[in-house]
Amino acid sequence: MNILIQDAKNHVGQEVTIRGWMYNKRGSGKIWFLELRDGSGFMQGVVAPPAASPDVMQAAEKLVMESSVKVTGKVAAHPKFKDVYEMQVNGIEIVHVCEEEYPISKKEHGPDFLLNNRHLWLRSRKQWAIQRVRDVVIQAVYDFFHKNGFIKIDTPILTPNACEGATTLFEIEYFDEGTVYLSQSGQLYLEAAIMSVGRAFDFGPTFRAEKSKTKRHLTEFWMMDAEAAFVEHEESMEIQESMICAIVERVLRDCLPELTILERNLEPFKKIKTPFTRLTYTEAIEKLHSLGSDIKFGEDLGNDDEGLLTQDSDVPVFVHKWPKAIKPFYMKTDPTNPELVCNDDLIATEGGGEIIGGSQREDSYEKLKAAVEKEGLKGTEYQWYLDLRKYGSVPHSGFGLGLERVVRWLTQAEHIRETIPFPRLMERVRP
Ligand code: 4AD
């Protein structure tokens, strides 16, 4: 019977076959310990007589690192470690023996070498664990949204209008229609969709031609945008913090083996509970000054500033109500101060940095029209967006969560490039 390693616990004492790869081997001609992986988990296969015939012993000897195999044997609980299973092997079918030595060995490799070999590096334990956490975060987000009345609406990637400023657009010539851009965020389209479905989210690749070589910037990253009708600034932050808690709880529930491989300290995780800290931008600047930062009012927060704001907090920190001048055209002006907007950035703990950006949207036709013009945007491309404020305009808010930023925070990956299967950075589009 073929099984997945993740199900081995249900087959103790039975003879089963696992289909996978041998990533390591120890032993001598008398006994071999095969370290096997099949994508669902890891398992040791013990190859020794009398269970293993001389032919099976020979097959084990032939296997080199990353050879693919089907291995048959009896499953046993590991004598020392709880929840660990091994196999007493009595059959080996070799699927493919590597023709050359596998390039990624146990020795230290530099980042360039690993990134050039990303197609192989993905097989490494740590990279495997990060991708599994990523998958669980995606599931958690889908479940959270569906439970809270949001439906998934797929927004376009090719767009004639900019959402997040003209400086980071990737341009494409689109037949006879002129220049279009790769989407920076599905937000504007979600705003149209919620006037039909009330609450919506999307999840897709987004693109920023960012000339930033930081550990937190990709040029292609996956964003979950969410948008909700009748939800105002404060309620939007409540949705965001509940979503982050749902993600953390799910990862703690479903990813313990992965977090163990990643040597993730679970204690800070357990402290993540609502309500998150809320600081207005003005309060944040005052706090930063008191902590020795020389940031000026009106500047964006740098990496160090974000670190200072969260260093004494067990929970992520909302910095909200930013100066209008440094934020996008669509944000709603703060009714209590026309220089500010009703927006928020959510800063993660443990050096995670900004993981969410959100805001209440301007719902007045006149004010939004003026903002489009002031920004120097091509009015005709935004007429449909302005229309939304002409026909049954409602207060509404939304936010965008950067998937890789969240995965980096949760896994404590050194660099964001490890959190996406094939990273696209300013200086890297291969493999
Ligand atoms: O703050 P941003 O730019 O917000 C928007 O795009 C809104 N339109 C979203 C919305 O309201 N629906 O981006 C949202 C999040 C950031 O908080 C960050 O997590 C992530 O997207 N992000 C990036 N992640 C990786 N690499 C980059 N270059 C990123 N730029 C933004």
Side-chain angles (χ1 to χ4, degrees):
M1 185 189 356
N2 294 320
I3 67 155
L4 293 174
I5 292 176
Q6 67 179 20
D7 300 326
K9 58 180 175 299
N10 305 325
H11 296 278
V12 173
Q14 293 172 11
E15 182 172 301
V16 299
T17 300
I18 58 170
R19 299 168 291 179
W21 295 262
M22 190 205 77
Y23 67 93
N24 202 9
K25 181 168 87 175
R26 291 177 294 119
S28 62
K30 292 201 180 98
I31 182 164
W32 296 106
F33 298 97
L34 310 181
E35 309 280 352
L36 303 164
R37 57 175 188 87
D38 73 345
S40 78
F42 303 87
M43 191 185 215
Q44 176 166 267
V46 183
V47 194
S53 67
D55 282 356
V56 173
M57 292 301 288
Q58 243 177 25
E61 188 155 8
K62 254 200 238 162
L63 292 176
V64 292
M65 191 176 173
E66 285 304 312
S67 301
S68 41
V69 279
K70 295 181 186 173
V71 180
T72 302
K74 209 184 245 185
V75 178
H78 194 283
K80 284 193 211 134
F81 305 115
K82 198 173 162 268
D83 295 332
V84 178
Y85 300 88
E86 55 179 29
M87 177 187 268
Q88 196 65 48
V89 178
N90 59 28
I92 295 178
E93 184 188 329
I94 297 177
V95 179
H96 183 239
V97 173
C98 304
E99 284 153 24
E100 288 174 22
E101 193 180 336
Y102 190 66
I104 301 182
S105 59
K106 277 201 159 153
K107 70 170 201 261
E108 281 282 308
H109 295 288
D112 262 340
F113 177 85
L114 289 171
L115 284 167
N116 287 337
N117 285 286
R118 183 62 173 164
H119 52 297
L120 303 176
W121 186 27
L122 273 177
R123 302 182 191 191
S124 302
R125 242 172 139 82
K126 191 174 157 204
Q127 300 305 313
W128 171 88
I130 294 173
Q131 293 311 316
R132 303 253 307 182
V133 172
R134 180 182 167 109
D135 174 60
V136 170
V137 173
I138 295 169
Q139 288 177 44
V141 170
Y142 272 60
D143 287 350
F144 174 84
F145 281 136
H146 285 140
K147 236 185 248 163
N148 287 282
F150 290 75
I151 74 157
K152 182 155 182 282
I153 289 280
D154 298 317
T155 51
I157 300 292
L158 295 172
T159 63
N161 38 38
C163 181
E164 294 300 319
T167 55
T168 62
L169 288 168
F170 279 111
E171 296 186 357
I172 289 182
E173 282 315 305
Y174 194 78
F175 305 106
D176 294 335
E177 298 291 316
T179 306
V180 299
Y181 312 105
L182 295 180
S183 175
Q184 297 168 309
S185 159
Q187 176 199 323
L188 306 187
Y189 292 95
L190 280 189
E191 286 186 58
I194 59 158
M195 304 302 166
S196 162
V197 300
R199 292 179 163 206
F201 73 102
D202 69 6
F203 173 50
T206 43
F207 304 86
R208 307 267 169 108
E210 306 243 26
K211 296 208 170 78
S212 330
K213 293 190 202 163
T214 75
K215 293 178 176 179
R216 307 187 297 151
H217 285 91
L218 293 161
T219 55
E220 177 180 309
F221 61 98
W222 284 65
M223 173 141 50
M224 273 123 174
D225 293 286
E227 202 67 32
F230 297 103
V231 166
E232 302 195 30
H233 176 56
E234 187 56 45
E235 189 179 351
S236 172
M237 290 196 287
E238 286 164 15
I239 296 174
Q240 293 166 48
E241 62 191 359
S242 311
M243 180 179 72
I244 294 298
C245 289
I247 294 173
V248 169
E249 272 167 32
R250 182 71 166 262
V251 167
L252 265 178
R253 190 193 80 185
D254 291 355
C255 296
L256 280 182
E258 289 81 0
L259 297 172
T260 307
I261 288 173
L262 295 165
E263 297 174 14
R264 177 65 162 100
N265 179 2
L266 301 183
E267 291 316 308
F269 260 179
K270 294 180 185 157
K271 295 184 186 151
I272 305 225
K273 298 258 153 52
T274 59
F276 293 174
T277 308
R278 285 155 170 70
L279 292 176
T280 62
Y281 174 86
T282 310
E283 287 164 348
I285 297 295
E286 280 164 11
K287 179 164 181 182
L288 286 170
H289 286 165
S290 74
L291 293 170
S293 166
D294 58 3
I295 189 169
K296 296 187 185 58
F297 190 94
E299 285 179 353
D300 203 353
L301 301 181
N303 202 7
D304 293 346
D305 301 313
E306 291 179 346
L308 285 173
L309 287 178
T310 46
Q311 67 185 9
D312 57 359
S313 180
D314 286 340
V315 293
V317 175
F318 282 112
V319 178
H320 69 131
K321 299 215 170 173
W322 287 57
K324 197 181 179 67
I326 54 166
K327 287 293 173 186
F329 71 97
Y330 53 73
M331 292 183 175
K332 186 175 175 67
T333 305
D334 180 3
T336 62
N337 182 342
E339 297 303 315
L340 305 178
V341 281
C342 293
N343 77 315
D344 64 87
D345 279 2
L346 182 62
I347 321 286
T349 48
E350 297 181 276
E354 180 204 326
I355 52 174
I356 292 183
S359 68
Q360 185 165 347
R361 321 305 190 187
E362 185 51 73
D363 48 51
S364 140
Y365 183 87
E366 295 307 329
K367 284 189 188 158
L368 188 62
K369 189 159 183 280
V372 167
E373 279 161 13
K374 188 164 174 230
E375 190 89 358
L377 298 168
K378 206 166 150 196
T380 47
E381 296 295 4
Y382 292 85
Q383 193 51 53
W384 68 267
Y385 184 64
L386 287 164
D387 264 1
L388 305 174
R389 280 71 180 167
K390 266 207 293 204
Y391 306 107
S393 187
V394 292
H396 63 286
S397 303
F399 57 89
L401 168 142
L403 176 65
E404 291 78 14
R405 295 266 181 99
V406 171
V407 175
R408 176 168 178 248
W409 170 49
L410 298 175
T411 60
Q412 291 287 294
E414 159 69 13
H415 193 295
I416 197 166
R417 64 190 170 211
E418 292 187 54
T419 63
I420 184 161
F422 293 95
R424 268 73 184 107
L425 304 157
M426 213 181 131
E427 289 167 334
R428 179 166 293 278
V429 281
R430 296 186 175 82

